[in-house]
Amino acid sequence: MRVLSTLLLIPLFVKVLAQEKTGGGPATKHDYQSDVARMRKIVIESLYSHKDVFLRELVSNANDAIEKWRILALKEGLENNNPLNITIKLVPDEVKGGGKIILTDTGIGMTPEELTKNLGTLAKSGTAEFLKAANEKNGAQLIGQFGLGFYSSFLVASDVYVASLPPPTKENPDPVQHVFASSTDATSFEVYRDPRGNTLQRGTEITLVLKDDSLKYLMEYKVKDLIEKHSAFSTAHPIYLYTSRMDDVPLEEGDEGYEPPKPKKEKKEKKEEEKDESEEKKEDDEEELKEADEEEEEEEEEVPVKTKKVKVENWVQLNDQPPLWTRDPKSINDTEYIDFYRATYKEPNDPLAWHHFKGDTGSGTSFRALFYLPSAIPQDFWNSPKSTSESVRLYVKRVFITNDLGEQALPKWISWMKAIIDADDLPLNVSRETLQSTKFLSQAKQVLIKRLIQLLTRIASEDQAKFKRIMKAGYSALLKLGAVESAKDRTKILSIIRFKTNLRESVTLDQYIEKKRKGQDQMFYLAGVGQEPDDLAKSVFVEKLTARGYEVLLFTEPMDEILFSQVRDWKDMKLQDVAKEGLKFGDEDEDKEAEEAALKEATEKYQPLIDYLKEEGKEMVSGVQISNRLVTSPCAIVASQQGYSSNMQRLLASQHTQDAQQKMIQEWARKQRVLEINPKSPLIQGLLAKWKQVNDVEEGEEKDPELVEELKEVSSILIDGALVRSGFDVADANLFFYRVDRVLRRSLGVSETAEADATVKPAPEEVEAVETPKQELPDLEADEDLSKVEEFEAPFDPSEQIRMATQNFMKEPETVAPEDGAPDLPVINLEDDVASAEAEKPAHDEL
């Protein structure tokens, strides 16, 4: 914020209100038109949803007045010696309590007749008539269209005084300043000559005498927040706020209690010289010099400086950040975009990317938009299933309207976007707080989505390093969520997303298809939430695919498998989960007979073992078969086409809200798993040999119980190990590790029954129990005596105190006089006994 120092102090205590009638010409009293009084009451009590909008409305009207004067001066060639600005002064009454707000503009001003016509008549702001007179094409940024904005003053003020002075014209070369005066409950208003005379060079000054319930608007931080939210960009002209603070400064000559500084003694230098000349003297001389130095230091101890309280007054510019989106994007550099983002959204980090454009809805409404990609996704983004974003700001002619888009809010996947949409004209309701039609919002939402996809597509093509940073910041998962949520934009979004594979670091789905193998009609993928791609690439499911040179998409994010459960194919290529049965490479027909013969031979050879393992693992798998996907691993467990992969099973297990039917379906799907064994693995070959050894007995002879138990134990470890290897959980982890422990004991020659020394140090003796007094239970049947019920105080709300403390902590630093080119300083204008609480406003812009 820009700060301007003042040389003179503006008195805060005045005998009368600035525009209160204390003399001068007679007042003209006017009754409000029929039904206007009733309508004004509706405006005050029902039209606006909250009081804060009063300042937005008054600033918008002030901007209109300045724009009218600017256009008129250009058109008529009038001289403009007065700066174009808006000032706000907060004047608390420290004696009686209460206070007032004074808002002044250097716009066109109004004659007594215009005061009566424009302020005393509902829906008669004069803006529409002025536009017509100015041919409607002179570049005016006129906001007011309803004539009701002025009446929002009565939301916070009990009395309103409007002093106005029009510019000199041929018809009225010596205009006189007049005042419009009215109150909240009045059925009439007065217009009279300002007793102070022409205190304004040109323009309008509105004084609001605040109601008791609106005194919070006397707080500087509150006004700053309202301007920043609603009106920071509504005008190209500066908005200044008068601020003051008390500083401690040293007393000056002439002040009571001032004491001139005492001259410093020169003994110390003399003693130093004597010390240099007497280096060879005795120790008693050195001690004497040391004592002299200490005495000198005591004499030269600084005396505390006496201070006094001085009031430091400044004019602080509240809208020093220009509306960047209204400029031509070619004229804006990256630093300006970044500074605007950090200042507007109070973000400590630079945005990752942004896009600035203008467009038309096709129905005659043009708009400008600017959106940013934040450096990080909000921490609570994934906690809520619905979009709760309020970071899209809708403006109409640079006036903030709302950030609550209601049913037309951005979808969840794009709700993180920081965006500004500024329409040239929209059908607003009378209070200018909501739109009369949501068609524009629906169109704007689609435009933002379209532009975001275009921006990311371009970045991915032109700056891969930048695109990688964006995806690493969490946008990859958001795009996948967008592909799930938006069927309409799914193809475009999927074209942007990059995936890691077992052969390449990053590919799109189109790039995957470009490298497909001859005969391949499926896109292979493997999902593993939370796993590193390098670890997932070593999975048993991709052993043969990698060995043969096939590429497998590696999905490591939670959204991946959810997305591809909906996306079953991409450009006529089906997606195949390699963790499920039915894996086809695409070249099976090239040597079909030989492969079928080899499979038949292996199945016949291992059929006894297949039947045995199927019986042993019937609680965990639904079948056992020879694998065509394993190379070195002995076995793996794959899900059937109707079952859940290990990745999907973990995702479903994380969902706590499941009814009985869902749990039953999931339990059935868990068992739809198949154990695949590798006939080329020495372990499987050895297991078959062990099975033959166990069953190699004569008819009527019993099997060796130790061999039977050993085969069962090894088979159980094999199946459980296959579960772990394939990403599933074992049914009983304790039993699994107990069996592993026994196998380890046998391999090390340790007794299977040997137990560890279980001797431990016992806990200390119990302390003597202390009897707890029995709690007396309340009598629920007793009559209630309301006279003994204590009233609860309202809960403490620390927000106001925190804000005030923050204001005190972050006070504006004391500034020096403005440099060359800075606006002029205000001056005091006093007349007789009427002490004006307003200073001449700081100049800023020259016509």
Side-chain angles (χ1 to χ4, degrees), residues 721-761:
L723 285 169
V724 175
R725 189 191 299 265
S726 304
F728 295 98
D729 294 330
V730 296
D732 189 339
N734 290 326
L735 180 59
F736 170 64
F737 287 109
Y738 171 74
R739 288 169 175 164
V740 172
D741 181 69
R742 290 184 61 185
V743 172
L744 291 175
R745 284 171 179 262
R746 284 199 297 269
S747 66
L748 296 174
V750 178
S751 172
E752 296 181 16
T753 59
E755 297 182 358
D757 184 3
T759 305
V760 295
K761 180 182 178 180

Side-chain angles (χ1 to χ4, degrees), residues 349-547:
N349 301 317
D350 295 348
L352 295 173
W354 56 85
H355 186 38
H356 183 188
F357 63 96
K358 61 180 179 180
D360 192 289
T361 61
S363 57
T365 301
S366 59
F367 67 93
R368 293 177 179 269
L370 171 62
F371 68 79
Y372 290 91
L373 275 65
S375 59
I377 305 303
Q379 295 181 352
D380 59 347
F381 179 85
W382 296 102
N383 295 339
S384 173
K386 295 184 179 180
S387 173
T388 57
S389 172
E390 295 183 350
S391 58
V392 177
R393 303 182 181 184
L394 177 64
Y395 291 78
V396 175
K397 293 182 179 177
R398 299 183 297 182
V399 176
F400 175 79
I401 301 301
T402 183
N403 58 1
D404 182 6
L405 305 185
E407 295 180 356
Q408 299 302 327
L410 293 176
K412 174 68 177 179
W413 74 274
I414 199 177
S415 60
W416 44 265
M417 177 183 286
K418 308 284 190 183
I420 289 174
I421 303 173
D422 187 3
D424 289 343
D425 191 20
L426 284 179
L428 302 176
N429 70 348
V430 180
S431 67
R432 298 198 289 192
E433 296 177 282
T434 56
L435 297 177
Q436 292 178 352
S437 172
T438 59
K439 182 179 179 180
F440 173 79
L441 292 181
S442 177
Q443 294 172 325
K445 177 173 66 175
Q446 296 303 321
V447 169
L448 288 177
I449 294 173
K450 173 186 174 183
R451 289 287 183 153
L452 172 65
I453 294 174
Q454 292 176 347
L455 173 65
L456 292 177
T457 301
R458 185 166 184 174
I459 294 175
S461 175
E462 298 179 353
D463 192 343
Q464 296 185 9
K466 183 177 182 179
F467 183 80
K468 187 176 181 180
R469 289 196 303 271
I470 294 174
M471 294 301 104
K472 192 175 181 180
Y475 287 88
S476 176
L478 297 180
L479 290 176
K480 292 168 185 175
L481 176 61
V484 172
E485 287 187 343
S486 177
K488 176 184 176 183
D489 301 306
R490 182 172 297 159
T491 301
K492 295 178 182 178
I493 296 174
L494 281 174
S495 299
I496 303 173
I497 303 174
R498 267 59 172 167
F499 301 94
K500 291 189 176 182
T501 73
N502 58 331
L503 302 180
R504 287 187 281 179
E505 181 69 20
S506 175
V507 297
T508 64
L509 296 181
D510 289 337
Q511 290 171 341
Y512 179 95
I513 293 177
E514 292 172 0
K515 296 292 184 179
K516 70 176 182 177
R517 296 287 178 170
K518 181 181 178 181
Q520 180 183 350
D521 59 357
Q522 298 183 94
M523 302 177 69
F524 303 115
Y525 75 88
L526 177 63
V529 175
Q531 298 187 47
E532 291 295 328
D534 293 340
D535 295 335
L536 195 59
K538 299 174 185 177
S539 170
V540 295
F541 299 119
V542 297
E543 279 185 0
K544 197 168 187 177
L545 290 162
T546 301

Side-chain angles (χ1 to χ4, degrees), residues 467-694:
F467 183 80
K468 187 176 181 180
R469 289 196 303 271
I470 294 174
M471 294 301 104
K472 192 175 181 180
Y475 287 88
S476 176
L478 297 180
L479 290 176
K480 292 168 185 175
L481 176 61
V484 172
E485 287 187 343
S486 177
K488 176 184 176 183
D489 301 306
R490 182 172 297 159
T491 301
K492 295 178 182 178
I493 296 174
L494 281 174
S495 299
I496 303 173
I497 303 174
R498 267 59 172 167
F499 301 94
K500 291 189 176 182
T501 73
N502 58 331
L503 302 180
R504 287 187 281 179
E505 181 69 20
S506 175
V507 297
T508 64
L509 296 181
D510 289 337
Q511 290 171 341
Y512 179 95
I513 293 177
E514 292 172 0
K515 296 292 184 179
K516 70 176 182 177
R517 296 287 178 170
K518 181 181 178 181
Q520 180 183 350
D521 59 357
Q522 298 183 94
M523 302 177 69
F524 303 115
Y525 75 88
L526 177 63
V529 175
Q531 298 187 47
E532 291 295 328
D534 293 340
D535 295 335
L536 195 59
K538 299 174 185 177
S539 170
V540 295
F541 299 119
V542 297
E543 279 185 0
K544 197 168 187 177
L545 290 162
T546 301
R548 296 194 61 191
Y550 285 94
E551 192 164 27
V552 182
L553 298 167
L554 304 176
F555 298 157
T556 58
E557 295 183 355
M559 288 303 306
D560 288 326
E561 194 157 0
I562 297 174
L563 170 60
F564 286 98
S565 65
Q566 300 184 29
V567 181
R568 300 304 179 95
D569 58 77
W570 180 261
K571 296 187 177 180
D572 298 329
M573 286 193 70
K574 294 182 179 180
L575 280 97
Q576 169 66 54
D577 186 351
V578 299
K580 290 190 174 183
E581 66 175 346
L583 177 63
K584 300 293 183 181
F585 296 94
D587 62 347
E588 286 80 6
D589 294 338
E590 293 183 3
D591 198 5
K592 186 176 181 180
E593 293 182 0
E595 289 188 1
E596 288 180 351
L599 178 61
K600 182 178 179 181
E601 181 183 355
T603 302
E604 290 177 353
K605 179 180 179 180
Y606 284 90
Q607 191 62 50
L609 182 60
I610 290 174
D611 294 338
Y612 176 78
L613 292 175
K614 185 175 181 180
E615 178 63 24
E616 288 295 318
K618 61 184 178 182
E619 295 297 326
M620 291 168 283
V621 295
S622 59
V624 182
Q625 63 186 28
I626 300 298
S627 177
N628 70 332
R629 77 184 72 220
L630 300 176
V631 178
T632 58
S633 299
C635 57
I637 291 182
V638 298
S640 67
Q641 291 298 327
Q642 294 77 31
Y644 293 150
S645 66
S646 60
N647 184 65
M648 181 60 74
Q649 188 171 309
R650 284 192 295 272
L651 288 175
L652 293 173
S654 64
Q655 304 297 320
H656 301 291
T657 56
Q658 299 174 352
D659 56 26
Q661 185 177 4
Q662 288 177 323
K663 290 183 178 180
M664 184 174 62
I665 294 174
Q666 290 182 19
E667 187 62 29
W668 174 85
R670 284 194 190 99
K671 295 182 179 180
Q672 304 308 303
R673 301 181 293 204
V674 177
L675 173 63
E676 292 188 356
I677 59 175
N678 181 9
K680 297 180 180 181
S681 170
L683 184 58
I684 298 301
Q685 294 170 357
L687 189 61
L688 177 61
K690 175 65 70 173
W691 181 90
K692 290 180 178 179
Q693 180 184 359
V694 171

